[in-house]
């Protein structure tokens, strides 16, 4: 579509037909960075959204953010480039008017630019958020019982449990199909000497374990021990068991792994007894963005 009047009529019809959780994305041909969405909420309300951008893409320029604010858009966290800019619309005509204004006045597209249209539905994402809320509520009760007080949360809102001489993290996630996963893990070592011998040793060690596994983050030279539970309907005893096993196994092996393959234990890093830093990423970090 390139004629702005024809495009407007078509888009109004597309927005009118949106069901709850559905959205229509409008993308100028050849410029996917300027994509804009119109979505319908569960309650039937419309909103126009400029999607957030992950770190590998150029972020919105300051003048673009300012122009969005002038047109009523707001971001949950303007400093976070991954957060979308959103503006409510009263009806389909208003939504399309706003969409076309953003394309031309904010992004500098020509009024007759060729537009591609795509459709999607976020019902799975909505259901995943609901399930995660259930999981979080139950997790908070379990970790409070284990510690005797509420657990601290890190920047990802994962639950951090100092147990004996290690720290265990309980991290609820959602897979792309909406399945809830609960990862329980502990960093054992950092700055290790990555080698074929280390990989072979961990493989042999994992073969003898009844529960959990060691993983080697070769890029960040760190070793983790973790286990995963499925579903927001997990048994509380299973989560307690997983926390205990992760804590005791990490505590049993961190000093031995340091003696064999160098580096430092994670506890030494946390205590400031080494110049090393903890790894910046977590296992399975690319699974699930519904937190």
């Amino acid at each position: 579509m390139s004629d702005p009047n024809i495009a407007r009529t078509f888009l109004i019809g597309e927005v009118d037909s949106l069901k709850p959780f559905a959205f229509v994305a409008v993308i100028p041909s050849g410029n996917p960075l300027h994509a804009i969405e119109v979505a319908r909420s569960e309650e039937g309300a419309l909103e126009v959204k400029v999607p957030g951008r992950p770190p590998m893409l150029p972020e919105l320029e300051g003048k673009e953010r300012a122009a969005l604010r002038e047109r009523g858009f707001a971001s949950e966290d303007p400093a976070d480039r991954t957060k979308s800019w959103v503006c409510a619309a009263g009806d389909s005509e208003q939504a399309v008017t706003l969409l076309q204004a953003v394309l031309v006045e904010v992004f500098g597209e020509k009024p007759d630019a060729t537009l591609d249209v795509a459709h999607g539905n976020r019902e799975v994402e909505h259901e995943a958020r609901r399930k995660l809320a259930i999981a979080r509520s139950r997790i908070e009760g379990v970790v409070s019982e284990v510690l005797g007080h509420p657990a601290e949360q890190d920047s990802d809102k994962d639950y951090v449990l100092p147990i004996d001489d290690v720290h265990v993290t309980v991290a609820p996630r959602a897979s792309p199909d909406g399945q809830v996963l609960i990862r329980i893990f502990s960093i054992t070592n950092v700055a290790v000497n990555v080698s074929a011998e280390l990989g072979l040793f961990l493989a042999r060690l994992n073969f003898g374990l009844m529960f959990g596994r060691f993983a080697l983050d070769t890029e960040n030279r760190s070793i983790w021990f973790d286990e995963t539970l499925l579903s927001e309907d997990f048994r509380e005893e299973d989560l307690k068991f997983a926390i205990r096993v992760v804590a005791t196994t990490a505590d049993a092996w961190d000093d031995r792994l340091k003696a064999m393959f160098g580096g430092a234990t994670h506890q030494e890093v946390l205590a400031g007894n080494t110049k090393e830093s903890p790894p910046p990423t977590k296992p399975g970090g690319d699974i699930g963005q519904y937190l």
Side-chain angles (χ1 to χ4, degrees):
M1 293 181 297
S2 58
D3 185 296
N5 293 321
I6 294 176
R8 176 179 175 79
T9 300
F10 175 81
L11 291 174
I12 289 174
E14 294 293 284
V15 174
D16 269 335
S17 66
L18 289 176
K19 303 296 184 183
F21 302 116
F23 68 91
V24 57
V26 179
I27 308 134
S29 294
N31 201 344
L33 285 179
H34 291 173
I36 306 173
E37 298 176 3
V38 180
R40 192 177 297 278
S41 71
E42 181 180 12
E43 296 77 20
L46 291 172
E47 64 179 18
V48 182
K49 178 187 296 185
V50 176
R53 297 178 182 178
M56 70 283 297
L57 297 177
E59 62 181 313
L60 285 169
E61 297 178 3
K63 63 180 182 181
E64 293 172 332
R65 293 194 294 271
L68 288 172
R69 286 192 189 94
E70 292 173 0
R71 288 157 180 80
F73 284 79
S75 170
E76 179 183 337
D77 181 0
D80 186 345
R81 59 184 294 157
T82 66
K83 300 296 185 183
S84 299
W85 288 75
V86 180
C87 183
D91 55 29
S92 300
E93 291 194 15
Q94 184 182 358
V96 173
T97 296
L98 190 55
L99 180 151
Q100 291 182 312
V102 171
L103 285 174
V104 176
E105 299 168 11
V106 178
F107 289 144
E109 296 288 343
K110 294 181 179 179
D112 60 351
T114 302
L115 303 176
D116 298 324
V117 177
H119 296 82
N121 191 295
R122 292 196 172 91
E123 188 167 5
V124 170
E125 180 178 339
H126 171 80
E127 182 64 10
R129 289 184 182 276
R130 186 191 67 80
K131 290 180 178 180
L132 274 173
I134 294 172
R136 282 190 170 280
S137 177
R138 300 187 62 215
I139 289 169
E140 288 173 4
V142 172
V143 298
S144 294
E145 185 176 342
V146 170
L147 295 176
H149 57 79
E152 293 185 3
Q153 291 179 263
D154 62 15
S155 58
D156 295 322
K157 298 185 178 180
D158 295 335
Y159 304 92
V160 182
L161 290 69
I163 300 176
D164 297 328
D165 291 327
V166 298
H167 280 67
V168 176
T169 299
V170 179
R173 295 287 188 270
S175 64
D177 64 357
Q179 173 69 58
V180 171
L181 313 172
I182 303 170
R183 304 206 60 165
I184 305 99
F185 57 82
S186 178
I187 308 170
T188 61
N189 301 77
V190 300
V192 295
N193 298 316
V194 177
S195 63
E197 289 75 15
L198 172 56
L200 181 59
F201 180 84
L202 293 180
R204 287 173 171 167
L205 185 57
N206 283 338
F207 185 74
L209 294 173
M210 295 182 64
F211 193 85
R213 61 162 188 163
F214 282 95
L216 175 61
D217 178 358
T218 57
E219 183 176 351
N220 295 299
R221 300 171 58 204
S222 59
I223 300 174
W224 306 71
F225 184 76
D226 78 294
E227 183 54 271
T228 302
L229 301 180
L230 293 176
S231 173
E232 73 280 9
D233 295 324
F234 63 89
R235 294 197 316 161
E236 294 181 0
E237 285 303 316
D238 290 343
L239 179 55
K240 291 178 185 177
F241 176 77
I243 291 171
R244 286 198 303 270
V245 170
V246 170
T248 55
T249 307
D251 191 24
W253 280 99
D254 57 354
D255 289 315
R256 281 189 270 183
L257 290 168
K258 173 188 172 182
M260 298 172 68
F261 300 103
T265 68
H266 186 228
Q267 292 304 107
E268 290 174 327
V269 173
L270 295 178
N273 296 331
T274 174
K275 65 179 181 180
E276 306 298 343
S277 301
T281 57
K282 296 177 180 178
D286 59 347
I287 295 179
Q289 302 300 321
Y290 305 138
L291 289 178

